[in-house]
Amino acid sequence: MLRISPDSGAARQNGTTVTVTPSSASVRVGRLQSFAATLTGATGGVAWSVNDVPGGDGSVGTIDSSGQYLAPATPPAQTVTVRATSVSVPTASGSAVVTVLPLPSISSVSPASFPAGAFTLTVNGAGFTSGAVVSFGGAPLSTTVVSSTRLTATGTAAASPSVPVFATMTDGTVSNTVSVTVTAPTPPPVVGVTISPATASVRLKQSRQFTATVTGTSNTAVVWKVNGITGGNTTLGRVNQNGVYTAPRRVPSPATVTVSATSVADPSKSASAQVTISR
């Protein structure tokens, strides 16, 4: 498109200028972008070129006489320059810088498999632009554009063997689809308690070391009891926080007591040992 300003005396004195709008643009491969040239101080129109090739070519894109630019099928290594040059004053020209973008594509999604619940995906690929949104099973996710080759997205999901993931750009361009797997939620670990030794004989006023092993939790603390009494008593014998049982001064009736260890992390889990007290 060409606009010619009125041929005023001031315009002739100030020389000939050519202004191209927009002055910069990002265009997807194979897509069109319209440019307009405003010519001041001369008549005769403008000639369009791409990287100084009249009309452009297949490697940098082509442009017609109306300023309609068609991006090439493959992005050039560098930005390209669309230029409008005055036909009557060839030294006067204006230009615009064009970035040719690839179509958005996803090469991988990480993790490809994860348990149901809250998740964060990393989407790797090319051609991502500001405002891109990742869709998960057709629903948009909260998306961050890290770069033109990486997106991150967060959400929650139920178990499913195959969920399609794709990205949509603000210009409406949609990437290819990659599927991920959402597995069943990981069950919480089961707390277990064992005690060693499981049986023992202890003489009056003598001591015996018991050891409790707790699994399924990082909290391995236990509460020691004798016949259900924390720490025991003088009649049944006492057990300290380290699992050391000391028999009483007299043989209780019955002569066998139970030393137990109860998990602090899960008080429903415990283990016990039978202790026979003898003279």
Side-chain angles (χ1 to χ4, degrees), residues 34 39 42 60-61 76 91 93 142 149 174 186 233 242 249 257 259 268:
S34 294
L39 178 62
V60 294
T91 56
S93 67
S142 176
T149 61
V174 181
T186 304
N233 57 26
N242 296 317
R249 293 176 178 274
V257 298
V259 173
S268 68

Side-chain angles (χ1 to χ4, degrees), residues 60-80:
V60 294
T62 59
I63 193 165
D64 63 19
S65 60
S66 67
Q68 190 86 328
Y69 171 77
L70 175 63
T74 302
Q78 306 292 331
T79 58
V80 299

Side-chain angles (χ1 to χ4, degrees), residues 45-69:
V46 297
W48 291 95
S49 63
V50 184
N51 280 11
D52 295 325
V53 176
D57 59 29
S59 64
V60 294
T62 59
I63 193 165
D64 63 19
S65 60
S66 67
Q68 190 86 328
Y69 171 77

Side-chain angles (χ1 to χ4, degrees), residues 132-233:
V133 175
V134 174
S135 290
F136 182 85
L141 299 178
S142 176
T143 304
T144 299
V145 180
V146 179
S147 68
S148 63
T149 61
R150 177 167 295 179
L151 308 172
T152 59
T154 58
T156 58
S160 176
S162 180
V163 181
V165 176
F166 60 88
T168 303
M169 306 301 111
T170 53
D171 62 3
T173 310
V174 181
S175 73
N176 59 309
T177 298
V178 175
S179 293
V180 298
T181 299
V182 184
T183 60
T186 304
V190 177
V191 175
V193 183
T194 58
I195 194 169
S196 178
T199 60
S201 294
V202 184
R203 293 184 179 276
L204 293 176
K205 297 187 289 184
Q206 299 300 304
S207 298
R208 183 62 186 269
Q209 175 72 60
F210 290 89
T211 301
T213 301
V214 181
T215 58
T217 176
S218 59
N219 184 357
T220 59
V222 296
V223 176
W224 290 95
K225 301 177 183 179
V226 181
N227 282 11
I229 301 171
T230 300
N233 57 26

Side-chain angles (χ1 to χ4, degrees), residues 7-26:
D7 188 12
S8 66
R12 284 196 299 272
Q13 291 173 4
N14 291 336
T16 301
T17 60
V18 182
T19 304
V20 175
T21 54
S23 59
S24 63
S26 295

